[in-house]
Amino acid sequence: MTNTLPLYERVIATAATIREKTQCTPVLGVILGSGLGALADAVEDAQVVSYDELPYVPKSTVKGHAGKFVCGTLDGVQVIVMSGRSHIYEGHSPADLTVGVRAMIELGAKTMVVTNAAGGIHTEFRPGDLMAILDHINMQGSNPLFGIYDERLGPHFLDMTLPYDRKLRRLMQKAASQLSITLHSGVYCGVLGPVYETPAEVRMLRSLGADAVGMSTVCEVIAARHAGARVVGLSLISNLAAGLEDTALSHDEVTATAERVAARTVSLLRTFIPLAARDN
Ligand code: HPA
């Protein structure tokens, strides 16, 4: 991938290509985590742009992640869905990972829904549970503003007092209650990966206040806040974190659990999205 252009120019070029190919005018964007591609399939009047057509968007090499933007409407709301994301552990720089989310915001998606699969650390969490993200801990060793100072993108020193919008989280809780879905809330810890944690690391993360752990999300949320979007986060607890159950962890387990509860997750998102759009 060529990244010799400044990040801002790459974002503008990506948004322009998507606009040309789709006439897309989204008010809300969604980033789909492992196994959640079913939401992209539900988009009506879908217009698709593959990451292959977008030179500045990193391609995902991970099983369970497609690589396309899907624009259209979901329950009457104009959306853009990023189906498939890349991660730092695939060798991308944190800033490069944010081209997609920044392009969606540039296109008009000022509300960003960020989803992921995560390992459950909180003692009450079970595989298949859902957690609204209250806050996050960045243990990825870097962040997407490192080495970037361009006021066209956002402020140099970014306030992170309220990374996840409280009102949107309440609306997600409302959507969950309407569907009789239990929605936990908790702190997501982003780690580098691609190795899973050791049991000692999981005990450490718990003592630091983490309720779930995963290898994504943090960079996108920082970039979305930097670009002025409001953010809501949803973790699908795909497994218990290392050492909390007897079995070894595997990506197959992560995607199998995500797919098992995908229908429930998609209905939660589809009930939530019109509430969020109305609140715009
Ligand atoms: N750890 C880190 N990332 C993850 C996990 C986990 O247990 N499950 C899904 N993504």
Side-chain angles (χ1 to χ4, degrees):
M1 191 201 18
T2 159
N3 59 6
T4 47
L5 270 186
L7 179 60
Y8 178 75
E9 267 84 27
R10 284 182 274 149
V11 170
I12 297 297
T14 303
T17 306
I18 297 173
R19 204 181 279 122
E20 263 165 39
K21 290 180 184 284
T22 64
Q23 301 89 42
C24 165
T25 53
V27 297
L28 181 145
V30 188
I31 302 177
L32 293 179
S34 293
L36 290 176
L39 186 80
D41 300 337
V43 173
E44 288 166 28
D45 303 318
Q47 295 178 295
V48 176
V49 185
S50 157
Y51 297 170
D52 293 334
E53 301 173 74
L54 299 163
Y56 305 119
V57 176
K59 317 287 167 278
S60 179
T61 55
V62 184
K63 220 170 101 186
H65 282 267
K68 58 185 180 185
F69 286 95
V70 181
C71 301
T73 58
L74 255 184
D75 306 287
V77 180
Q78 302 230 42
V79 297
I80 178 163
V81 178
M82 200 172 170
S83 183
R85 63 144 67 88
S86 299
H87 308 78
I88 302 177
Y89 66 72
E90 294 172 78
H92 305 294
S93 85
D96 289 355
L97 290 182
T98 64
V99 172
V101 65
R102 286 185 184 275
M104 293 196 286
I105 297 166
E106 174 64 25
L107 287 166
K110 303 287 185 241
T111 300
M112 194 55 60
V113 184
V114 184
T115 68
N116 58 53
I121 294 180
H122 192 290
T123 47
E124 281 172 20
F125 292 180
R126 290 290 160 263
D129 283 359
L130 295 171
M131 179 189 93
I133 304 179
L134 279 176
D135 199 347
H136 72 224
I137 299 173
N138 180 3
M139 298 273 272
Q140 298 193 310
S142 188
N143 76 75
L145 302 189
F146 177 78
I148 303 274
Y149 176 41
D150 184 340
E151 280 186 342
R152 294 173 299 177
L153 290 165
H156 200 180
F157 297 100
L158 178 66
D159 174 55
M160 287 292 278
T161 310
L162 274 178
Y164 299 87
D165 190 273
R166 280 188 188 141
K167 185 125 186 257
L168 289 176
R169 199 169 55 245
R170 261 183 246 127
L171 291 174
M172 193 175 272
Q173 282 290 358
K174 185 173 171 187
S177 322
Q178 281 176 14
L179 297 167
S180 307
I181 290 174
T182 302
L183 180 62
H184 303 291
S185 50
V187 173
Y188 174 89
C189 179
V191 295
L192 185 60
V195 289
Y196 291 112
E197 302 66 45
T198 64
E201 287 166 344
V202 170
R203 289 194 295 275
M204 174 192 74
L205 296 180
R206 176 180 280 164
S207 76
L208 293 179
D211 298 302
V213 56
M215 303 173 193
S216 66
T217 300
V218 162
C219 286
E220 294 135 341
V221 171
I222 292 172
R225 295 297 299 139
H226 193 232
R230 39 184 213 157
V231 173
V232 65
L234 179 68
S235 291
L236 188 165
I237 305 300
S238 54
N239 56 281
L240 297 191
L244 301 181
E245 57 190 348
D246 291 337
T247 51
L249 306 193
S250 74
H251 185 62
D252 287 344
E253 178 195 0
V254 168
T255 44
T257 308
E259 275 158 21
R260 178 168 62 79
V261 295
R264 188 155 42 104
T265 315
V266 168
S267 40
L268 174 61
L269 290 170
R270 290 187 64 171
T271 306
F272 164 72
I273 284 169
L275 298 177
R278 236 179 282 142
D279 183 62
N280 239 332

